[in-house]
């Protein structure tokens, strides 16, 4: 009997289809709202400083604490997704980030507002990994890179809502009505989530190993995921590519453009919107390229890092007091590549781990960019206070983290690519036997 000429279809490879798209859309809607809440502070940074009477370092603490909670929750959330399933974790996340957004709206003091942002970060942390899991459970493996990029694209649309909707509402209606009103979106997505979302198609349940318990389950899941060089490479790709745009959009972009570059809030908001629009366009492009050619992953990631560093260097080193508009516009377009490039990290972790470790491996990968963002948010705030609001010095911290991440990508790349050529252990076929008997 001759050997097969093409790659076999995996027994657990789901078929996709309209129902898969509908279920995935419910999960993505939850993530969309989470991103609106996450990035809402980015358009309200100056207002928050006035409302709570804080300086740059204290203002940065809002986002740092939120990202600290988010990053610290990634591995626990990955484990929860592997153990409890997507629906339960997404439901917990939606409840937490809705309560956090409402609490931030009504917070009477800086300390209470910090607690609300921490709660929001905890709920936010439960969304993206769950959406990635929906993509792998409901769609064929070959479509996973595109589905991940589309999820990121929808998330960036949430950022766009923050800029185009929440910012005008904040300045027109005031702090409490804007933030409290936005929290209603959390309730809106919670209803279809509870009623209609399913973890996987019928007949495509995860193997029993994914549900196994025991005292060593957590330790084993983390250790086996981390042992794979693809997981570690995914983390460092995510680390190195995501944070320049995240820091800009999450907190420091608006103050930099208004205070350092002398732009009006409207013009600055337009440039931040440009980042989001560029992100959405590049997300589709990167998803198609990686889906069709796995060899494009490293060139896209390294090209994004190089272009980002070059444009930041050009803006910060510009000899005049303020960079020209064309240069700021180019910077914002290039920052739009950061989100799509960070998604490539999951395309290294995914093939390196079997289905029962996908949540844990995704959690480890997703920590990367948020650890880098948290570090840079703090560094920029501290340097601004130390230098009398010298943004050139403060934003130079971007280059140190890019250099660190780049060195790790180059170090791990050979081992990760070599490991991908080896087959993963075959899943236990026993769970599929009843399904075949019925057909």
């Amino acid at each position: 009997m001759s050997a097969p000429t093409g790659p076999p279809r995996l027994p657990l490879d789901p078929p996709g289809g309209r129902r898969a798209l509908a279920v995935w859309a419910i999960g993505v809607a939850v993530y969309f709202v989470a991103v609106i809440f996450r990035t809402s502070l980015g358009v309200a940074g100056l207002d928050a400083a006035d409302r709570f009477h804080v300086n740059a370092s204290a203002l940065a603490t809002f986002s740092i604490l939120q990202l600290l909670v988010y990053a610290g929750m990634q591995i626990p959330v990955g484990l929860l997704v592997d153990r409890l399933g997507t629906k339960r974790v997404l439901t917990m996340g939606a409840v937490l980030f809705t309560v956090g957004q409402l609490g931030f709206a009504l917070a009477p003091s800086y300390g209470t507002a910090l607690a609300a942002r921490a709660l929001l970060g905890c709920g936010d942390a439960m969304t993206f990994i769950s959406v990635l899991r929906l993509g792998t459970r409901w769609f064929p493996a070959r479509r996973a890179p595109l589905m991940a990029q589309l999820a990121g694209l929808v998330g960036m649309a949430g950022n766009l809502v923050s800029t185009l909707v929440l910012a005008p509402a904040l300045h027109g209606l005031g702090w409490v009505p804007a933030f409290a009103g936005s929290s209603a979106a959390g309730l809106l997505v919670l209803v279809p989530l509870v009623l209609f979302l399913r973890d996987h198609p019928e007949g495509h349940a995860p193997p029993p190993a994914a549900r196994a318990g025991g005292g060593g389950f957590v330790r084993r899941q983390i250790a086996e995921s981390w042992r794979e060089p693809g997981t570690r490479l995914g983390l460092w790709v995510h680390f190195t590519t995501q944070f320049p745009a995240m820091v800009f959009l999450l907190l420091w972009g608006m103050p930099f453009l208004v205070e350092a570059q002398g732009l009006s809030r409207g013009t600055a908001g337009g440039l931040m919107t440009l980042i989001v629009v560029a992100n959405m366009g590049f997300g589709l492009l990167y998803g198609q390229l990686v889906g069709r050619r796995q060899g494009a992953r490293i060139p896209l990631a390294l090209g994004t890092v190089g272009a980002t560093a070059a444009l930041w260097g050009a803006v910060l080193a510009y000899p005049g007091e303020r960079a020209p508009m064309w240069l700021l516009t180019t910077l914002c377009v290039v920052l739009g590549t950061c989100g799509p490039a960070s998604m490539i990290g999951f395309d290294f972790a995914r093939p390196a781990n079997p289905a029962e470790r996908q949540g844990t491996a995704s959690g480890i990968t997703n920590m990367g960019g948020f650890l880098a963002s948290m570090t840079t948010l703090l560094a920029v705030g501290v340097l601004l206070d130390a230098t009398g609001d010298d943004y050139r010095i403060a934003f130079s911290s971007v280059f140190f983290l890019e250099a660190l991440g780049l060195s790790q990508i180059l170090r791990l790349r050979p081992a990760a690519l070599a490991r991908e050529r080896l087959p993963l252990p075959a899943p236990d076929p026993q769970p599929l036997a009843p399904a075949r008997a019925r057909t």
Side-chain angles (χ1 to χ4, degrees), residues 311-375:
L311 264 297
W312 261 123
V315 169
L316 298 180
Y318 191 78
E321 183 179 351
R322 295 169 180 169
M325 180 58 71
W326 67 265
L327 186 54
L328 293 175
T329 301
T330 306
L331 170 66
C332 290
V333 172
V334 171
L335 287 177
T337 65
C338 292
S342 72
M343 302 299 295
I344 295 173
F346 299 102
D347 294 317
F348 286 108
R350 187 182 303 110
N353 292 273
E356 60 268 23
R357 290 206 309 263
Q358 287 295 317
T360 305
S362 295
I364 293 172
T365 300
N366 207 30
M367 285 177 60
F370 291 94
L371 288 172
S373 299
M374 179 179 61
T375 303

